[in-house]
Amino acid sequence: MTGTPVRHPTTRSRPFDPHDGLRELRAAQPLARLHHSDGRLGWLVTSHELAREVLVDHRFSSSLDVMRGPADGEDTFDEVPPGLFSVLPAAEHAWYRRKLAAAFAPRRVQRLEPLVADVVERRLDAVEAAGGPVDLVEVFASPVAFEVIGTLLGARLDRTSVRAATESMLALENDAESTGRAWGRLWTELHEQVRAKRAAPGDDLVSALLADEDLSDEEIATMCSMLITGGDDTTANMLGLGTYALLAHPEQLAALRADPAMIDTAVEELLRYLTINQFGATRTALEDVDLRGSTIREGEPITVSLSAANRDPERFPEPDRLDLGRPATGHLAFGHGIHHCLGAQLARVELRLGFSGLLRRFPGLRLAVPAAEVARREASVNYGVHRLPVTW
């Protein structure tokens, strides 16, 4: 049974914890009625077990509602743009994902490691040349993520304009019109890149997609816009916020310095512990669904809080403690089910090489301001830090 409908909290008392109140809500109502900011009434899932159950249940589907979390207002799109497969029914979604699968297959990602390593080393050189104190977001985290996804696509993009568009798209305070304009700017830039690649193809993802006669230039531009939004902003924020978390937990940082081989485990724990997606994944019921004694009616939205699920003590003992030696397998930072993040393995490579490189090149890396003064990026779909001043 569920109690009085709740509103999704939007404040954080502690910089690395999920929103205030989610812990208590999970303990009292792991499936709760939820008020959306636009007046809709839906549902909120906060337990790990229930989150996994919902995310693989074919009776819950992505739709345009997935573009609206509990803190969002009106739809950005009146209709689904061609190629926006994240909000399409399962069969169409799978069709588009198969077009991209080869680029993100484990063997392909493994072959990309030297490229990622080269990007990381060049950005570490830039950090060293800048001297401390330096903003690690601007000089390292942001350019690493941007350059990797741009090279994968084979696109020559302007980081300033693309970042402005993606940040506007992901800003929680923006209305549908502003978000739509930002999407239009990003899509137009990608569409120009696609047209240029059609005239001069290369060894890259855009060229590979153009060789597929099933796809139009418009669809490819949309797919690439999604990859930029998902692969750039998320990884950049994880690099910045993850470094902040390491520097704010000196005992864990010391353990990682003492045993660099634990980096893979450390990355998984940071993904679990931080879970930068602030409001999780929204699905829509395709039919009436009985779930743990409650009935989700056809058409009602159900939001899965990934951050709350990743702090569930039933799945992760002492979940509010950062433990880089913890086997954090089964976390939901990349989602679960058919919408599991396509670029998860590539993101792991970037995080592993990024964190390892920072600790190797700068043994004395430390915050250049008190931890409480680090500016947090709270008014966005993806949580992070605006700036991370460091020295060494």
Side-chain angles (χ1 to χ4, degrees), residues 111-227:
R111 291 199 296 271
L112 288 172
E113 283 205 33
L115 179 151
V116 177
D118 179 66
V119 172
V120 167
E121 289 304 314
R122 284 190 283 105
R123 297 318 307 176
L124 290 171
D125 290 343
V127 172
E128 189 168 7
V134 63
D135 177 9
L136 203 69
V137 171
E138 177 60 27
V139 182
F140 182 73
S142 177
V144 164
F146 187 82
E147 188 168 341
V148 168
I149 191 64
T151 303
L152 174 68
L153 294 175
R156 296 181 178 275
L157 301 168
D158 179 76
R159 183 160 66 98
T160 300
S161 65
V162 169
R163 273 288 158 80
T166 55
E167 288 185 7
S168 181
M169 287 166 55
L170 297 170
L172 296 175
E173 69 272 15
N174 271 1
D175 58 24
E177 184 178 352
S178 299
T179 303
R181 285 198 302 267
W183 168 266
R185 294 195 301 271
L186 178 63
W187 187 91
T188 298
E189 186 163 351
L190 267 298
H191 191 228
E192 291 172 356
Q193 293 289 318
V194 170
R195 293 171 65 185
K197 278 292 173 182
R198 187 172 287 284
D203 181 19
D204 51 65
L205 178 55
V206 171
S207 298
L209 293 173
L210 284 167
D212 189 328
E213 296 181 356
D214 291 335
L215 295 170
S216 68
D217 288 8
E218 291 74 20
E219 287 173 301
I220 295 171
T222 298
M223 295 162 75
C224 291
S225 298
M226 292 172 61
L227 293 176

Side-chain angles (χ1 to χ4, degrees), residues 269 272-273 311-323 326:
E269 172 66 351
R272 179 202 71 83
Y273 184 71
R311 292 294 188 96
D312 189 340
E314 294 295 322
R315 179 61 182 81
F316 303 103
E318 296 184 80
D320 297 324
R321 180 171 65 89
L322 178 65
D323 177 5
R326 180 201 305 268

Side-chain angles (χ1 to χ4, degrees), residues 361-380:
R361 287 283 290 272
F362 305 105
L365 189 70
R366 62 188 185 277
L367 291 174
V369 297
E373 294 182 12
V374 174
R376 291 185 269 162
R377 186 176 185 254
E378 298 187 82
S380 176

Side-chain angles (χ1 to χ4, degrees), residues 157-354:
L157 301 168
D158 179 76
R159 183 160 66 98
T160 300
S161 65
V162 169
R163 273 288 158 80
T166 55
E167 288 185 7
S168 181
M169 287 166 55
L170 297 170
L172 296 175
E173 69 272 15
N174 271 1
D175 58 24
E177 184 178 352
S178 299
T179 303
R181 285 198 302 267
W183 168 266
R185 294 195 301 271
L186 178 63
W187 187 91
T188 298
E189 186 163 351
L190 267 298
H191 191 228
E192 291 172 356
Q193 293 289 318
V194 170
R195 293 171 65 185
K197 278 292 173 182
R198 187 172 287 284
D203 181 19
D204 51 65
L205 178 55
V206 171
S207 298
L209 293 173
L210 284 167
D212 189 328
E213 296 181 356
D214 291 335
L215 295 170
S216 68
D217 288 8
E218 291 74 20
E219 287 173 301
I220 295 171
T222 298
M223 295 162 75
C224 291
S225 298
M226 292 172 61
L227 293 176
I228 286 283
T229 305
D232 174 37
D233 190 82
T234 51
T235 304
N237 277 289
M238 264 305 301
L239 282 169
L241 186 63
T243 303
Y244 178 27
L246 290 173
L247 297 179
H249 292 82
E251 75 293 343
Q252 293 298 309
L253 180 60
L256 183 55
R257 288 192 190 281
D259 184 10
M262 69 187 291
I263 186 61
D264 287 326
T265 302
V267 165
E268 297 305 316
E269 172 66 351
L270 286 167
L271 286 164
R272 179 202 71 83
Y273 184 71
L274 299 173
T275 313
I276 64 170
N277 185 313
Q278 293 217 72
F279 296 99
T282 299
R283 301 288 182 263
T284 302
L286 298 177
E287 60 187 72
D288 288 357
V289 179
D290 290 328
L291 195 64
R292 306 295 174 90
S294 297
T295 300
I296 291 80
R297 298 296 180 189
E298 179 182 353
E300 287 186 329
I302 183 167
T303 296
V304 177
S305 174
L306 304 178
S307 58
N310 280 341
R311 292 294 188 96
D312 189 340
E314 294 295 322
R315 179 61 182 81
F316 303 103
E318 296 184 80
D320 297 324
R321 180 171 65 89
L322 178 65
D323 177 5
L324 299 184
R326 180 201 305 268
T329 55
H331 69 72
L332 303 177
F334 291 117
H336 185 57
I338 65 171
H339 288 275
H340 184 270
C341 176
L342 260 173
Q345 293 308 316
L346 180 58
R348 286 182 167 103
V349 170
E350 294 178 70
L351 297 175
R352 171 167 52 83
L353 295 178

Side-chain angles (χ1 to χ4, degrees), residues 18-80:
H19 289 117
D20 297 334
L22 286 178
R23 178 192 299 109
E24 293 76 13
L25 182 62
R26 184 184 56 236
Q29 298 182 66
L31 176 63
R33 276 304 239 170
L34 178 68
H35 279 297
H36 287 242
S37 62
D38 62 356
R40 292 177 300 161
L41 194 60
W43 300 83
L44 177 64
V45 170
T46 48
S47 82
H48 186 274
E49 181 182 13
L50 194 51
R52 286 174 61 92
E53 183 178 333
V54 168
L55 292 175
V56 298
D57 192 326
H58 67 276
R59 297 172 297 177
F60 297 111
S61 174
S62 285
S63 68
L64 278 178
D65 276 331
V66 81
M67 307 301 292
R68 293 188 291 163
D72 298 322
E74 298 176 353
D75 286 328
T76 300
F77 306 111
D78 293 327
E79 58 184 35
V80 179

